[in-house]
Amino acid sequence: MSFILATDTSCDVLKSELAERGIEYIPLVYTIDGTAHNDDFSTDAEYKAFYDGIRKGDLPTTSQINVAENEEFYEKLIAEHEGDILYVTLSSGLSSSNASAKLAAKNVEERTGRKIFVVDSFGATIVTRHVVDEAQRLRDAGESAESAAAKLAEFAAKLHTWFMPVDLMHLKRGGRVSGPMAYLGTALNIKPIIRFNETGGLTVVKKVRGAAKGIAEMAEAVKRDSAKTPHKIYIASADSDLAEELLERVKAARPDCEAEIGWIGPVIGAHTGCGAVGVSFVSDSPRKLK
């Protein structure tokens, strides 16, 4: 392998799969009722249990990976492996974990002389998963960590991703929307359509009446904006009944592309609540607001 590939668990790949693929990881952490849990799921049952807990009233909170934790992680990798490190993180537009990773990399490089390249996925869950997939492809093709990091920055910018949370009352409980907005939106069956913007943050693009219209909007985005060449498309699911419908719509729009459903893990799911669904695909143009 040409470099050590590592990520945080915002990529929402089963941790057993990361191990099989030779990808090192540091778990993000979520807390329920004062008890901290590592985001280190390796089975579908663990994801389902997490969302069942939310349905029963759990309100998870999340924390970021700090500088010291990143330094410890890098030093472990250096002790166990040879070569440069390429580390893919959760979006800097959502968390300070990326900034902490970069500062920790600088500190460890000064102490050890080993090179560490931190790559901002400019997204989360299936977006980060896309970047990790491409990083593995570059690693396995013999690309250097420095070259791969530059290519991944361009690749991440061309990932277009749309999400639709459906539980506005969960967003209200977490303080992410106001009470009146949550009650009115729920009564009128309003669903926000959200995109990752060019800085890796989230922007509400529009609001539609009903989940069916939201699914249609996302499928149309795939048809309109996806890259002309075949590529992998991911459907994100927070244990959503809508994921299969979106998958079928995406397959109909791009029958030449491989598409599959992936979990929205606990760190992002803590914010979306149950039922959220989304799609991430490669475009020929960098993402921007329309």
Side-chain angles (χ1 to χ4, degrees):
M1 295 181 183
S2 56
F3 54 80
I4 305 162
L5 176 55
T7 185
D8 62 42
T9 52
S10 67
C11 63
D12 291 336
V13 180
L14 295 177
K15 307 315 167 291
S16 54
E17 180 184 336
L18 288 176
E20 291 170 2
R21 294 166 61 181
I23 301 171
E24 303 286 346
Y25 69 89
I26 181 171
L28 291 159
V29 175
Y30 64 97
T31 300
I32 298 175
D33 293 333
T35 301
H37 306 268
N38 282 340
D39 172 13
D40 58 0
F41 296 170
S42 284
T43 66
D44 292 342
E46 290 171 292
Y47 288 99
K48 286 183 175 296
F50 171 78
Y51 286 109
D52 285 344
I54 289 179
R55 292 185 179 98
K56 293 175 182 177
D58 288 347
L59 189 60
T61 59
T62 61
S63 57
Q64 299 164 357
I65 302 170
N66 62 37
V67 174
E69 290 167 333
N70 272 306
E71 288 187 17
E72 183 179 356
F73 178 54
Y74 296 148
E75 288 167 350
K76 175 179 179 292
L77 296 182
I78 287 169
E80 295 176 352
H81 305 281
E82 295 183 354
D84 295 341
I85 297 169
L86 188 148
Y87 177 41
V88 179
T89 75
L90 175 66
S91 174
S92 60
L94 298 177
S95 166
S96 65
S97 292
N98 175 267
S100 296
K102 288 180 177 178
L103 179 55
K106 180 177 181 292
N107 294 341
V108 173
E109 283 183 341
E110 289 174 351
R111 290 199 298 268
T112 67
R114 293 281 290 272
K115 290 290 187 181
I116 303 169
F117 297 89
V118 178
V119 174
D120 190 339
S121 71
F122 290 104
T125 189
I126 53 174
V127 190
T128 309
R129 183 173 187 160
H130 254 133
V131 178
V132 169
D133 288 350
E134 180 65 6
Q136 180 184 357
R137 187 189 71 79
L138 293 169
R139 180 199 66 183
D140 295 350
E143 200 85 26
S144 71
E146 183 174 15
S147 173
K151 291 181 178 181
L152 289 170
E154 295 181 3
F155 177 78
K158 292 183 179 180
L159 290 173
H160 289 216
T161 307
W162 298 64
F163 282 98
M164 181 177 67
V166 299
D167 186 354
L168 298 186
M169 300 310 294
H170 178 84
L171 299 182
K172 169 190 167 294
R173 289 192 295 272
R176 297 173 190 98
V177 301
S178 68
M181 183 181 296
Y183 288 116
L184 181 61
T186 299
L188 297 177
N189 197 23
I190 300 297
K191 309 299 180 189
I193 306 298
I194 299 171
R195 289 188 66 183
F196 275 104
N197 60 36
E198 64 271 25
T199 64
L202 297 173
T203 300
V204 177
V205 178
K206 64 168 60 177
K207 298 171 185 176
V208 297
R209 177 82 58 94
K213 289 185 178 179
I215 294 294
E217 285 280 346
M218 291 187 283
E220 179 59 27
V222 173
K223 182 178 181 180
R224 181 186 65 240
D225 298 331
S226 58
K228 294 181 176 61
T229 55
H231 60 277
K232 186 72 170 281
I233 299 175
Y234 281 117
I235 307 299
S237 171
D239 203 18
S240 175
D241 293 337
L242 301 169
E244 288 289 348
E245 180 183 352
L246 180 55
L247 178 66
E248 292 308 310
R249 295 288 294 268
V250 166
K251 286 181 175 179
R254 287 301 304 268
D256 58 326
C257 291
E258 180 184 357
E260 70 175 63
I261 297 172
W263 286 102
I264 296 175
V267 169
I268 303 304
H271 300 277
T272 66
C274 300
V277 65
V279 61
S280 182
F281 55 90
V282 180
S283 178
D284 291 321
S285 302
R287 68 176 83 158
K288 58 184 178 180
L289 297 179
K290 295 186 178 180

